[in-house]
Amino acid sequence: MKFSTNWLSQYVTINTGIDELSAALTMTGLEVDALHDRFAWLETIVAARIEKTAPHPNADKLKLCKVFTGKETIDIVCGAPNAKEGMIVPLALPGCVMPDGSVIKQGKIRGESSSGMLCSARELEIGEAAGGLLELDASIAPGTPLNKALNLSDHVFEIGLTPNRADCLSILGIAREVASIQKSKITKPELKISEAGGEAAGLAIVVIENPELCPRYAAKIILGAKIAPSPAWLQDRLKSVGLKPINNVVDITNFVMLETGQPLHAFDYDNLAGKQIIVRTAKEGDEFTTLDSKKRKLEDGMLMICDGEKPVAIAGVMGGENSEISDSTVNILLESAYFNPASIRKTAKVLGLGTDASHRFERGIDPLGTLYAAERAATLIAELTGGRLTDGTIDVNPVKFAPKPISISATRTNRLLGTNFSPSMMADMLRSIEFETQIEGDIIVAVPPSFRVDVTIPEDLMEEIARLSGYDNIPVTFPAIATADRTPASTFEFRMMIKRILTGLGFYEAINYSFISPKSYDRLGLSEIDSRRNSVEILNPLSEELAVMRTSLLPGIFDTMRKNISQQERNLRMFEVGKTFMPVINEKLPKETETLSIAWTGVREPNTWHSKSDSVDFYDIKGAAEAIFDNLRIRNVVFEKPDLDLYPYARPGYCTKISIDGKEAGILGEINPAVLKAYDIKQSALFMELNLDIVKQNYTSDRQYKQTPKYPSTSRDITLIIDKAISSAEIMEKIGSMKESLLETSWVCAVYEGTPVPEEKRSVSVRFVYRSAESTLEDDAVNKIHNRISDELRTGLGAVSP
């Protein structure tokens, strides 16, 4: 929101300096993003005295002037008829940039040297006179900058408003804030609001078919208007905030919108079929050409302003070519309405058409400000166009606005804000911005003014009190800290434990949105009937890429991996811990599951003099999983063949399902090449997805101490030729079922396939470590146990010795 101090001072007296005003506005929540003096450029224009004039030898209408700048006398060629000796006039020297963007240069005009330009008021855009030089007061000393000579200063503020402060999208709204800061009052232009009906009601009919989208529509009618350029004062007001003047009618609607915050629209009354205004919704596929000459396809439910035959405007957004004000317009129907903010916001977003009007409507305007703005604009139009304002107003108001009182406790407010205000002090603050208040002991009952549509709950009132007191005036205090230790929530502590384990393994944490694109499921290769496609949809998504709640963490971390690789970061170890959201039938809220995802790609170690740059493989990601379970002391973990229909994003033959105590907990392995291609990842990569809720069920914080062994261990190997269908996990499960007390540990240490092993077989070697806690083991005792285990493995698994 932009405003100038000259314009603002028409409604409130500014009693402070510009810097003090800027700081005060910022401290009340209206942050000043930019501040400049719009006449500061006149520093480059100086007052100069014409010492002597003479006819130009080569041009009848030009004069040669000797001009004193305050430092030197220079030659200027001038064509102004009023140039005469002794005049004090504005002088633009070479290098000066004029308002139209032109740069003054030294040169020759019809063969005579000219070292600058003497200026008129219009050339400097500080007046309308263009027929001669701007004559300055004779007492002004040559060399004085023009802004100082004319005492011209108008500071323009640019406020960075938060979306809730729609009331400050107007000069009057800013004036109310300044008046509150200075403890003064604002002065609104006084108007006599016309009664509903009268002559105007007989000239047009307004019908509202969708009162829930348009609770109020007011119209004024001006007859016999003459379209022309706006007067200088009106053009200057618009230029001060960066708007381009168009004509007197359009400029007035813009002026009143900026003044009051109420968007207005002027229709050519003679182009309205049936002299009707019908407010209704569009139908799917309707088309409409807006004022910018673009044909737009409408959607069902978009609110339109129509006449008796056709649409004439997209409500609250932009008017149409078929009813715009033109030079031939004589009679005008002026619209001032209140539209549902959500409806306008949706329409503007779908059409990609943001305007000053939609910007205000979609945030919420003053529902009781329609008549004042209509009367203000209609009065100005009649005055500046020479037209006649018809008696009365067309005012259709099917849904009345009723303000709602809000109650707050002074004690609770002080406790939350860290302040010590009395109820009367709080009430005075609220009254300063036009809230009606009553005090009932510790309770303050406030009725927000109609223009404060953002204040609806007690916390909003508390925020107003904090803001009006000045955020910098709220004392700084330290939060209360409990002296006793507090045990963190178990879920949070478990999540932090997982993060510590993974960072200890060299992984970096990634954090992604909980929203993903519906197309992510196609990239993962999920079937059309996969339950994970049944996502919770976001009602108002930030974009199409963030339209649904995630049912898997993998799309987010795969996309993060792609972005890093595109920046030449090819060696990545990443993890993310977060929730997935699965809808539940007949339940309002989805089921939330704590989940871990890992992505790993690149080389195992950097290529140095003592290591090779081998790429990570399946066993690296499996080792990471085993390290997680080992740190959590979870032993009942089984890695087994997965159902690839459930995990199409895993590369067949290079993945494994993870089960804990018989419950499926996740999957790990290589990413399917088709998925890598879908994510535009041009190198192999590994992944893991783990249900942490199941992992947590099997985790125990209990720790058991085992004394360091006193006696040495001894190891033996067994090599078996077994069917390829028998997994290593089955071998280890068989060994565990024997419950040999002296067997400390065992693991698969070698696997071989190929000649001379038969094609349907493979060779598996298992290492066994034996130890006794009571004595040193003798070889005979170890051999007996080892032979018994070997025999049982051969018998139970159908294995043979090589």
Side-chain angles (χ1 to χ4, degrees):
M1 173 63 190
K2 288 183 178 181
F3 68 90
S4 76
T5 50
N6 284 356
W7 193 351
L8 181 68
S9 63
Q10 300 299 306
Y11 313 104
V12 63
T13 301
I14 301 174
N15 297 327
T16 62
I18 297 301
D19 292 337
E20 291 81 0
L21 178 61
S22 174
L25 287 171
T26 298
M27 283 299 104
T28 57
L30 306 183
E31 184 176 0
V32 178
D33 288 341
L35 173 62
H36 71 277
D37 187 344
R38 56 189 287 248
F39 292 119
W41 77 277
L42 290 176
E43 285 271 0
T44 61
I45 309 294
V46 298
R49 183 172 60 243
I50 301 175
E51 300 284 357
K52 185 178 179 181
T53 64
H56 193 292
N58 302 318
D60 294 339
K61 294 184 179 181
L62 298 179
K63 297 178 182 178
L64 301 180
C65 300
K66 295 285 186 180
V67 179
F68 180 56
T69 67
K71 294 181 179 179
E72 59 181 334
T73 300
I74 59 175
D75 294 322
I76 300 286
V77 176
C78 176
N82 66 334
K84 60 184 179 181
E85 295 178 3
M87 279 184 72
I88 304 295
V89 293
L91 169 64
L93 294 168
C96 178
V97 180
M98 300 299 286
D100 62 1
S102 62
V103 180
I104 303 301
K105 297 179 180 179
Q106 184 168 351
K108 289 188 176 183
I109 300 176
R110 295 290 185 93
E112 296 295 327
S113 175
S114 183
S115 300
M117 183 178 81
L118 302 180
C119 306
S120 68
R122 177 172 289 184
E123 288 167 333
L124 297 175
E125 293 191 358
I126 57 175
E128 290 298 300
L133 301 177
L134 173 62
E135 186 169 1
L136 304 177
D137 191 277
S139 63
I140 297 174
T144 304
L146 191 62
N147 59 339
K148 294 180 180 177
L150 297 178
N151 195 26
L152 284 175
S153 178
D154 188 13
H155 286 84
V156 176
F157 285 73
E158 187 167 349
I159 305 292
L161 290 177
T162 52
N164 63 308
R165 291 308 305 273
D167 62 299
C168 286
L169 287 169
S170 66
I171 306 294
L172 281 170
I174 300 294
R176 278 191 291 264
E177 295 295 312
V178 174
S180 173
I181 293 169
Q182 299 180 160
K183 296 180 172 53
S184 58
K185 298 289 184 181
I186 68 169
T187 303
K188 289 176 65 175
E190 291 188 12
L191 298 172
K192 182 181 179 181
I193 307 298
S194 301
E195 295 287 335
E199 181 187 358
L203 294 174
I205 298 173
V206 173
V207 177
I208 300 176
E209 293 186 1
N210 302 89
E212 73 282 2
L213 302 182
C214 178
R216 190 169 199 173
Y217 192 104
K220 302 286 289 186
I221 296 177
I222 303 96
L223 303 176
K226 183 178 181 181
I227 307 302
S230 298
W233 71 266
L234 179 54
Q235 292 194 33
D236 184 67
R237 287 283 184 256
L238 298 180
K239 289 177 181 177
S240 72
V241 294
L243 288 187
K244 182 180 178 181
I246 298 174
N247 59 50
N248 46 12
V249 173
V250 175
D251 291 350
I252 288 168
T253 61
N254 285 331
F255 171 80
V256 175
M257 177 187 70
L258 292 169
E259 180 183 62
T260 65
Q262 168 72 55
L264 304 164
H265 188 72
F267 295 101
D268 189 320
Y269 173 78
D270 296 318
N271 288 339
L272 296 176
K275 302 302 179 277
Q276 290 181 311
I277 291 289
I278 301 172
V279 185
R280 62 169 176 83
T281 54
K283 304 299 181 187
E284 188 73 34
D286 287 353
E287 291 186 340
F288 180 69
T289 303
T290 46
L291 282 171
D292 55 3
S293 300
K294 292 183 180 180
K295 184 175 289 187
R296 302 183 185 275
K297 185 171 289 187
L298 307 176
E299 292 187 1
D300 187 53
M302 289 182 175
L303 193 63
M304 303 296 294
I305 308 298
C306 308
D307 62 15
E309 299 175 353
K310 61 190 179 300
V312 292
I314 301 173
V317 181
M318 185 177 283
E321 275 189 336
N322 55 11
S323 62
E324 67 176 319
I325 300 297
S326 65
D327 292 343
S328 60
T329 297
V330 176
N331 302 314
I332 298 164
L333 184 144
L334 179 68
E335 166 194 284
S336 180
Y338 181 88
F339 299 118
N340 180 279
S343 171
I344 303 304
R345 182 163 55 247
K346 182 179 179 181
T347 298
K349 183 177 180 180
V350 170
L351 296 178
L353 186 58
T355 61
D356 287 335
S358 68
H359 184 75
R360 287 164 172 80
F361 276 125
E362 66 190 22
R363 283 158 174 76
I365 63 169
D366 182 357
L368 296 183
T370 52
L371 288 184
Y372 178 86
E375 199 74 44
R376 171 73 163 151
T379 302
L380 287 172
I381 290 173
E383 178 185 335
L384 299 185
T385 65
R388 179 176 68 85
L389 176 58
T390 59
D391 180 54
T393 303
I394 305 170
D395 183 17
V396 181
N397 187 196
V399 181
K400 308 295 183 183
F401 172 77
K404 296 180 181 179
I406 305 170
S407 299
I408 58 171
S409 162
T411 301
R412 183 169 182 267
T413 301
N414 282 323
R415 179 170 59 81
L416 293 177
L417 298 183
T419 55
N420 191 29
F421 299 130
S422 66
S424 60
M425 292 173 65
M426 294 181 184
D428 288 342
M429 291 181 199
L430 295 172
R431 290 190 193 105
S432 71
I433 52 172
E434 301 184 26
F435 282 64
E436 296 179 8
T437 61
Q438 288 184 345
I439 301 174
E440 300 172 2
D442 185 60
I443 303 299
I444 302 164
V445 181
V447 179
S450 58
F451 53 79
R452 288 305 303 272
V453 295
D454 59 308
V455 180
T456 57
I457 59 176
E459 286 72 16
D460 292 334
L461 284 183
M462 295 176 189
E463 182 183 358
E464 290 301 299
I465 290 168
R467 186 177 67 80
L468 293 169
S469 68
Y471 292 122
D472 54 339
N473 293 325
I474 296 177
V476 176
T477 58
F478 290 99
I481 300 175
T483 56
D485 291 339
R486 293 183 180 178
T487 303
S490 59
T491 301
F492 174 79
E493 182 60 31
F494 186 73
R495 177 185 286 197
M496 298 307 297
M497 186 186 305
I498 294 293
K499 291 182 179 182
R500 287 193 294 269
I501 292 170
L502 286 164
T503 53
L505 293 172
F507 287 84
Y508 290 88
E509 183 178 8
I511 300 175
N512 292 294
Y513 286 115
S514 297
F515 319 129
I516 60 173
S517 168
K519 298 178 182 177
S520 298
Y521 304 127
D522 297 328
R523 298 188 189 108
L524 290 180
L526 300 185
S527 69
E528 292 298 326
I529 60 173
D530 195 301
S531 61
R532 286 168 290 186
R533 284 182 175 272
N534 185 24
S535 305
V536 177
E537 295 185 0
I538 307 301
L539 292 178
N540 189 21
L542 297 173
S543 70
E544 291 184 3
E545 292 300 310
L546 300 170
V548 297
M549 300 292 287
R550 63 189 179 191
T551 56
S552 169
L553 268 59
L554 293 179
I557 204 162
F558 286 175
D559 198 50
T560 301
M561 181 164 57
R562 176 192 61 78
K563 290 175 182 176
N564 277 270
I565 292 174
S566 70
Q567 297 297 318
Q568 308 303 313
E569 291 292 336
R570 300 186 180 278
N571 302 316
L572 301 168
R573 297 187 188 191
M574 299 183 300
F575 75 92
E576 181 176 9
V577 179
K579 291 186 179 296
T580 57
F581 306 86
M582 286 292 294
V584 180
I585 298 175
N586 298 326
E587 295 288 341
K588 291 184 178 180
L589 298 177
K591 179 184 178 183
E592 299 183 17
T593 303
E594 189 83 357
T595 308
L596 165 67
S597 67
I598 289 178
W600 194 352
T601 187
V603 298
R604 188 176 295 115
E605 296 289 344
N607 189 13
T608 63
W609 63 272
H610 69 284
S611 64
K612 295 181 180 179
S613 55
D614 295 331
S615 296
V616 292
D617 58 24
F618 169 85
Y619 296 101
D620 290 293
I621 193 74
K622 183 172 180 286
E626 290 172 337
I628 293 170
F629 297 129
D630 188 56
N631 275 273
L632 297 174
R633 295 175 293 285
I634 298 175
R635 306 301 178 198
N636 49 346
V637 180
V638 177
F639 297 94
E640 51 193 340
K641 186 176 180 180
D643 180 356
L644 291 177
D645 289 338
L646 295 177
Y647 305 106
Y649 41 84
R651 181 184 175 189
Y654 294 84
C655 58
T656 181
K657 180 176 70 175
I658 305 169
S659 296
I660 305 175
D661 201 21
K663 293 182 179 180
E664 187 172 339
I667 186 170
L668 62 82
E670 289 191 25
I671 302 173
N672 192 310
V675 176
L676 292 175
K677 184 177 180 181
Y679 278 92
D680 197 24
I681 298 172
K682 297 180 175 60
Q683 62 188 64
S684 62
L686 306 164
F687 80 98
M688 178 165 63
E689 190 172 33
L690 198 59
N691 184 325
L692 292 182
D693 288 341
I694 294 176
V695 174
K696 185 172 179 290
Q697 291 171 9
N698 292 272
Y699 163 72
T700 175
S701 59
D702 294 341
R703 297 172 182 263
Q704 293 182 342
Y705 170 75
K706 183 184 289 186
Q707 187 175 5
T708 304
K710 294 181 181 180
Y711 302 100
S713 65
T714 182
S715 62
R716 301 283 192 278
D717 289 350
I718 295 177
T719 298
L720 304 170
I721 305 298
I722 62 173
D723 291 340
K724 286 184 178 180
I726 299 174
S727 67
S728 298
E730 290 178 77
I731 297 173
M732 301 312 298
E733 185 178 356
K734 181 66 176 175
I735 294 170
S737 67
M738 299 178 194
K739 297 184 176 7
E740 286 291 346
S741 60
L742 296 181
L743 179 59
E744 186 176 68
T745 186
S746 60
W747 66 91
V748 175
C749 61
V751 177
Y752 174 76
E753 296 179 9
T755 307
V757 178
E759 185 176 350
E760 72 280 2
K761 304 281 186 178
R762 63 179 170 185
S763 172
V764 178
S765 296
V766 182
R767 177 154 298 171
F768 297 81
V769 176
Y770 301 95
R771 190 195 303 269
S772 171
E774 299 173 353
S775 62
T776 300
L777 291 174
E778 299 291 338
D779 283 345
D780 290 343
V782 173
N783 290 338
K784 285 181 181 180
I785 297 171
H786 189 66
N787 290 334
R788 185 167 64 251
I789 292 175
S790 299
D791 292 342
E792 289 198 30
L793 287 176
R794 293 187 185 95
T795 302
L797 299 175
V800 297
S801 298

